[in-house]
Amino acid sequence: MLHLDDLTLRIAGRLLIEHATVAVPEGARVGVVGRNGAGKTTLFAAIAGDTQPDDGTITLPRGMRIGQVAQEAPSGPESLVEAVLAADTERARLLAAAETARDPHEIAAIQTRLADIGAHAAPARAARILAGLGFDAAAQQRPCASFSGGWRMRVALAATLFAEPDLLLLDEPSNHLDLEGTLWLQDYLARYPRTVVLISHDRDLLDGACDHILYLSERRLTLHRGNYTTFDRRRRERLLLDLKLKKKQDAERQRLAAFVERFRAKATKARQAQSRLKRLEKMEPVAVAAENAVQPFDIPAPAKALAPPLIALDRVAVGYAETIVLDRLSLTLAPDDRIALLGQNGNGKTTLARLLAGSLQPAKGEMRRSERLVAGYFAQHQLDLLVPEQTPYQHVRRRLPEAPEAAVRARTARIGFSAERADVAVGHLSGGEKARLAFGLAVFDGPHLLILDEPTNHLDIDSRAALVEALNDFPGAVVLVSHDRHLVEASADRLWLVADGTARPFDGDLDDYRRLVLAPDDASAGSGEPRASRSEERRQAAERRVALAPLRARIKAAEAAMARLEQAIATLDAALARPDAFTADPGRGAALAKERAQALAALAAAEEDWLAASADYEAAAP
């Protein structure tokens, strides 16, 4: 369907992609992954036709409709539903034609086409998409201009999804969503009937919505079947095999070089030395993918631990001016708590975070707060507080005005800026580097309580993993607001639900919360049938697990077979790569080549079986 043939892309003279050839199957849901700055967005621009390749071709079927989120969100007087409905230009054109048509045959043709495209059910479909992205029925009737930029970007996303293009291009769509919207989007994309190509650093979204991964690294593009977890496991296994093979080859090189150096001057050994020298020259080095280490996040530990509780709220209300946002807050925060705040944007998660951070005071009720409590607060708006003309070093120097030069440089390096990057103006840093600097300043004083409001928006997958590791090593308390489910599951052990004008502990895990969020989309929702009891739900879940067990076993068997075959192929490749593979024993060389071909065929069959079993499992799973 989508073919990239010998594609080369540059931006500002920098080579991003070089001679890449990839074929994306029709109906595939492809996640594009790679480090920040690798060229993923530039690749999207080339596929959409917004930029031209430096070399190679991009081929799409004639007449294919490509859809991507508009960079300028709708901001006019039209309602949200009207803005979304307008994205279906064919429907709008047909409805306009139906108003003026007089010829019976033309009217019949228009009405037939309107029925074919489901035009009359379109308002209900638009409303469902908007509801999934966080707009209730009342909000859907409000004008676009009445919403902030972030909310209008959700409307732009809703319009793109509503249009159902043949090729849907999404570049970090969850950046403007909360966890609830991300869960809904994951479910929606998993059922999208056409081709999706998605740039994302959200592991859970890539796992739940994608069946292929397009990996951009070292200016190369490689397409892998399966979701992100499957891709990442295979990538790490292949890297480990390559490293082992390279280590073995390096040892062989050293042995041959030592023989040549020792005996090349001796007449009796000169011939053998020359032979080994030729073997050295013909030995192709094993290519090992570069794994650039991610700078870890450094969170200084608090100077002295505090006795519990850090904060206790008793019937507290909080808000802005005369407006109460949250009421009836009775919560306790312990020194080692790891809490994630759940709830749709606009429900008050940021208000609660600011209350805990100390930047808002209670309007009523009692708030007990440890006198020596140091809180570190990171939120997206803090990136705007960085001074664009100043360097990371200068930002740190403001916090350490009396410290010697070496100490300031060392502290800047701990935040993640080497000597070279420490003197680059903030205005020239990447989004990820700005986020790292703001994070380092937020935790500068060794907080007892760390409050993070959407900390991952500018971080790639490896940087998010480094953040998880730092949070798990941090001995203090953490309160987290994030749309990244993987980060929440890996970092939090308690959940607070912010909804209905208050906040309270959530009795369940993220799977329970996902079912709660997606309940309106269930077939039984609104049917009037009574919900099953908790014991009945557990019984039904147990029955489903038993029914799905054979499929799970089949998937695991296929995965084990693929791993075994991939390792066997790597071993055969190493044997066939030896200079004397066919000269020393031609028969054995031919047998190895035949064995490799059989292993490749078996691997393809195992992959097909894995895909079929996975599809059956997804179809049967609730």
Side-chain angles (χ1 to χ4, degrees), residues 133-135 147-156 178 344-346:
L133 294 176
F135 299 97
F147 290 89
S148 66
W151 284 97
R152 293 202 305 271
M153 287 306 299
R154 293 194 188 201
V155 180
D178 48 22
Q344 292 185 343
N345 281 355

Side-chain angles (χ1 to χ4, degrees), residues 73-154:
S75 57
E78 70 276 12
S79 70
L80 304 192
V81 169
E82 290 171 341
V84 172
L85 288 172
D88 189 342
T89 55
E90 182 184 10
R91 175 182 178 275
R93 178 178 55 80
L94 289 170
L95 288 175
E99 293 291 331
T100 59
R102 295 293 180 265
D103 180 70
H105 296 289
E106 182 183 359
I107 294 173
I110 291 173
Q111 293 301 326
T112 299
R113 181 57 184 162
L114 284 171
D116 289 342
I117 64 175
H120 302 297
R125 186 162 65 88
R128 284 197 300 272
I129 292 174
L130 284 167
L133 294 176
F135 299 97
D136 60 24
Q140 293 175 22
Q141 302 306 319
R142 287 169 51 192
C144 293
S146 66
F147 290 89
S148 66
W151 284 97
R152 293 202 305 271
M153 287 306 299
R154 293 194 188 201

Side-chain angles (χ1 to χ4, degrees), residues 183-249:
L183 291 172
W184 178 88
L185 180 65
Q186 175 183 317
D187 185 67
Y188 184 89
L189 293 179
R191 296 181 283 111
Y192 190 76
R194 297 176 178 84
T195 305
V196 179
V197 182
L198 164 72
I199 296 175
S200 180
H201 297 297
D202 187 324
R203 289 185 61 139
D204 203 63
L205 182 59
L206 291 168
D207 270 346
C210 298
D211 52 25
H212 287 73
I213 296 295
L214 184 61
Y215 182 45
L216 174 54
S217 177
E218 300 293 311
R219 301 187 297 276
R220 294 178 294 176
L221 283 171
T222 52
L223 185 65
H224 303 262
R225 292 179 178 176
N227 60 15
Y228 181 81
T229 296
T230 302
F231 153 75
D232 190 51
R233 175 177 54 79
R234 293 181 185 174
R235 177 174 66 97
R236 293 180 184 280
E237 290 173 352
R238 178 59 58 88
L239 178 62
L240 182 60
L241 288 172
D242 287 346
L243 287 172
K244 289 180 178 178
L245 183 58
K246 185 177 186 305
K247 184 177 180 181
K248 184 177 180 180
Q249 187 186 71

Side-chain angles (χ1 to χ4, degrees), residues 163-358:
E164 285 197 347
D166 302 311
L167 175 60
L168 177 61
L169 301 178
L170 296 177
D171 189 350
E172 291 288 359
S174 61
N175 274 1
H176 299 286
L177 301 179
D178 48 22
L179 177 60
E180 293 72 19
T182 302
L183 291 172
W184 178 88
L185 180 65
Q186 175 183 317
D187 185 67
Y188 184 89
L189 293 179
R191 296 181 283 111
Y192 190 76
R194 297 176 178 84
T195 305
V196 179
V197 182
L198 164 72
I199 296 175
S200 180
H201 297 297
D202 187 324
R203 289 185 61 139
D204 203 63
L205 182 59
L206 291 168
D207 270 346
C210 298
D211 52 25
H212 287 73
I213 296 295
L214 184 61
Y215 182 45
L216 174 54
S217 177
E218 300 293 311
R219 301 187 297 276
R220 294 178 294 176
L221 283 171
T222 52
L223 185 65
H224 303 262
R225 292 179 178 176
N227 60 15
Y228 181 81
T229 296
T230 302
F231 153 75
D232 190 51
R233 175 177 54 79
R234 293 181 185 174
R235 177 174 66 97
R236 293 180 184 280
E237 290 173 352
R238 178 59 58 88
L239 178 62
L240 182 60
L241 288 172
D242 287 346
L243 287 172
K244 289 180 178 178
L245 183 58
K246 185 177 186 305
K247 184 177 180 181
K248 184 177 180 180
Q249 187 186 71
D250 288 345
E252 177 69 4
R253 281 180 174 278
Q254 291 176 1
R255 188 183 68 80
L256 293 175
F259 185 94
V260 171
E261 185 66 26
R262 182 178 180 185
F263 294 114
R264 71 192 309 169
K266 292 188 177 181
T268 57
K269 296 288 186 178
R271 188 170 179 179
Q272 292 92 328
Q274 286 297 320
S275 173
R276 285 163 174 76
L277 186 60
K278 289 179 181 178
R279 284 172 58 188
L280 269 174
E281 292 172 351
K282 292 180 180 179
M283 190 177 292
E284 290 287 339
V286 176
V288 178
E291 290 288 300
N292 299 320
V294 175
Q295 179 75 22
F297 285 86
D298 180 74
I299 308 178
K304 184 177 181 181
L306 300 179
L310 295 181
I311 298 174
L313 306 177
D314 185 15
R315 298 185 297 277
V316 164
V318 64
Y320 306 90
E322 301 299 322
T323 303
I324 296 297
V325 177
L326 296 173
D327 199 355
R328 309 182 308 280
L329 297 175
S330 296
L331 301 165
T332 302
L333 189 66
D336 59 351
D337 264 337
R338 302 302 169 96
I339 296 170
L341 303 185
L342 308 178
Q344 292 185 343
N345 281 355
N347 281 3
K349 297 193 299 293
T350 297
T351 300
L352 178 57
R354 294 185 63 188
L355 174 69
L356 297 175

Side-chain angles (χ1 to χ4, degrees), residues 288-612:
V288 178
E291 290 288 300
N292 299 320
V294 175
Q295 179 75 22
F297 285 86
D298 180 74
I299 308 178
K304 184 177 181 181
L306 300 179
L310 295 181
I311 298 174
L313 306 177
D314 185 15
R315 298 185 297 277
V316 164
V318 64
Y320 306 90
E322 301 299 322
T323 303
I324 296 297
V325 177
L326 296 173
D327 199 355
R328 309 182 308 280
L329 297 175
S330 296
L331 301 165
T332 302
L333 189 66
D336 59 351
D337 264 337
R338 302 302 169 96
I339 296 170
L341 303 185
L342 308 178
Q344 292 185 343
N345 281 355
N347 281 3
K349 297 193 299 293
T350 297
T351 300
L352 178 57
R354 294 185 63 188
L355 174 69
L356 297 175
S359 57
L360 281 179
Q361 296 302 315
K364 64 179 182 180
E366 182 183 2
M367 177 176 178
R368 296 188 301 278
R369 184 184 181 91
S370 178
E371 293 182 359
R372 296 191 302 275
L373 175 64
V374 177
Y377 182 43
F378 173 89
Q380 288 301 308
H381 72 268
Q382 290 181 298
L383 272 66
D384 298 329
L385 301 180
L386 300 174
V387 183
E389 297 78 17
Q390 293 187 0
T391 65
Y393 166 81
Q394 290 171 319
H395 281 80
V396 174
R397 167 57 75 184
R398 290 209 311 266
R399 304 292 292 268
L400 299 172
E402 305 298 329
E405 175 77 6
V408 178
R409 291 284 177 184
R411 190 60 185 271
T412 309
R414 281 182 64 185
I415 291 176
F417 294 89
S418 62
E420 178 183 353
R421 300 302 291 174
D423 294 318
V424 176
V426 166
H428 297 295
L429 297 178
S430 68
E433 288 174 317
K434 292 176 184 176
R436 184 178 285 275
L437 176 58
F439 182 89
L441 296 175
V443 303
F444 200 88
D445 297 319
H448 302 93
L449 168 61
L450 180 56
I451 301 170
L452 303 178
D453 192 347
E454 296 293 358
T456 62
N457 275 358
H458 298 282
L459 303 181
D460 58 31
I461 291 179
D462 293 329
S463 296
R464 294 183 186 203
L467 177 60
V468 168
E469 186 174 347
L471 292 177
N472 289 338
D473 289 340
F474 176 58
V478 175
V479 175
L480 175 65
V481 179
S482 179
H483 65 262
D484 188 327
R485 176 175 173 173
H486 178 77
L487 175 66
V488 172
E489 287 187 317
S491 306
D493 50 29
R494 294 177 63 196
L495 303 174
W496 287 356
L497 177 60
V498 183
D500 303 322
T502 189
R504 57 187 179 277
F506 180 74
D507 184 17
D509 58 17
L510 281 181
D511 285 330
D512 296 318
Y513 188 62
R514 179 180 182 275
R515 285 190 286 271
L516 177 65
V517 169
L518 299 180
D521 286 340
D522 290 344
S524 61
S527 64
E529 297 179 3
R531 294 178 57 88
S533 66
R534 183 60 64 91
S535 60
E536 178 65 16
E537 288 177 349
R538 285 196 294 267
R539 185 188 65 78
Q540 293 174 357
E543 290 177 351
R544 286 194 295 268
R545 287 194 296 271
V546 172
L548 292 172
L551 283 175
R552 285 197 299 270
R554 182 178 162 193
I555 290 171
K556 289 182 178 180
E559 289 176 345
M562 287 188 291
R564 185 177 66 255
L565 288 166
E566 286 174 347
Q567 185 171 1
I569 290 170
T571 303
L572 290 168
D573 285 342
L576 290 169
R578 296 179 64 87
D580 59 349
F582 289 93
T583 57
D585 188 348
R588 174 168 172 74
L592 289 175
K594 182 178 180 181
E595 186 177 348
R596 185 182 185 279
Q598 293 172 342
L600 281 174
L603 178 59
E607 288 179 342
E608 290 296 332
D609 186 51
W610 180 86
L611 282 172

